[in-house]
Amino acid sequence: AAVALAAARGAWWALAGRAAAAAVAAAAAEGGLSPKDVAVLYFEDGSADRRLGALADGLTESLIGALGAVQGLTVVSRNGVAAFRDGAAPPDSVAAALRVGTLVQGRLEPAGDRLRVTVRLVDGASGADYRRASVAVPAAGALAARDSVVDQVARFLRARIGDEVRVREARGATRSDAAWALALQAERQLKTADERADSLFARAAALDPAWTGA
């Protein structure tokens, strides 16, 4: 009986996998957007004083890296999604611009002595939420937040695509919350400096379009 049950389960999963693959192919043919093409948009900093920006960026970029290593997925780079980090454009417009069938959106906010991360999987063609979940970790548990977000999104994608989406921990990644938090702050400052420099160069060019710079 146990062997027969295992065989039945195996047959069911095989059928479900074929059905999911067929659905993916149909969606790609109809709308030109495949669910296997994924864009992780920069997570929103939901803190009142905007103090969680570095961690929100770190969660986003860690997720991009983790999903980018999954065979069968095509994931937009962080430079590719950077233009949409202000959240002004509606999801279906972002998906159309990036040519992706799946968007991942997130929000990080304080919740007492904990941090809450809300993650949403969005259908690129319609802009409608497909799945949503929240995870809460201790305020000092940045790495726990990262790992929870990656695991949750992998679960979402498995349910949506029907494939075995398995993510692996990055080799050489630190397991120190303090070290990772400092690295995120440093990256945030570098990004801010680059953005300010680009703004100044743009202003200089506008004042004298014929000038090619020093």
Side-chain angles (χ1 to χ4, degrees):
V3 173
L5 180 59
R9 285 176 176 170
W12 188 90
W13 281 113
L15 180 61
R18 287 195 295 271
V24 169
E30 181 178 352
L33 300 177
S34 170
K36 292 186 178 183
D37 294 333
V38 180
V40 181
L41 302 184
Y42 270 91
F43 284 21
E44 179 185 356
D45 175 4
S47 61
D49 54 3
R50 317 303 292 173
R51 61 185 172 84
L52 297 177
L55 180 55
D57 284 3
L59 293 176
T60 305
E61 292 163 8
S62 292
L63 184 55
I64 291 173
L67 296 181
V70 175
Q71 186 174 4
L73 295 182
T74 301
V75 181
V76 178
S77 70
R78 64 183 189 178
N79 289 334
V81 298
F84 302 97
R85 67 182 302 153
D86 61 2
D92 55 343
S93 297
V94 176
L98 296 175
R99 303 298 301 164
V100 296
T102 301
L103 291 173
V104 181
Q105 295 182 314
R107 176 182 172 87
L108 175 65
E109 58 190 341
D113 60 348
R114 301 175 73 80
L115 296 175
R116 178 182 293 114
V117 187
T118 302
V119 182
R120 298 160 50 206
L121 208 66
V122 180
D123 177 70
S126 65
D129 284 11
Y130 184 78
R131 286 182 180 260
R132 177 194 293 257
S134 292
V135 295
V137 298
L143 292 174
R146 181 192 68 186
D147 295 344
S148 295
V149 166
V150 170
D151 180 67
Q152 188 63 64
V153 172
R155 290 171 184 262
F156 283 174
L157 290 174
R158 282 197 292 271
R160 177 171 173 78
I161 297 172
D163 292 340
E164 287 298 309
V165 178
R166 302 292 178 188
V167 296
R168 294 174 295 181
E169 183 178 342
R171 293 182 179 179
T174 181
R175 299 309 303 174
S176 166
D177 279 295
W180 196 52
L182 287 174
L184 293 180
Q185 292 175 28
E187 289 181 5
R188 180 78 165 179
Q189 291 186 18
L190 286 174
K191 289 176 189 173
T192 302
D194 287 342
E195 291 170 358
R196 289 175 180 170
D198 289 343
S199 175
L200 291 173
F201 279 127
R203 289 169 58 189
L207 291 172
D208 187 354
W211 182 43
T212 58

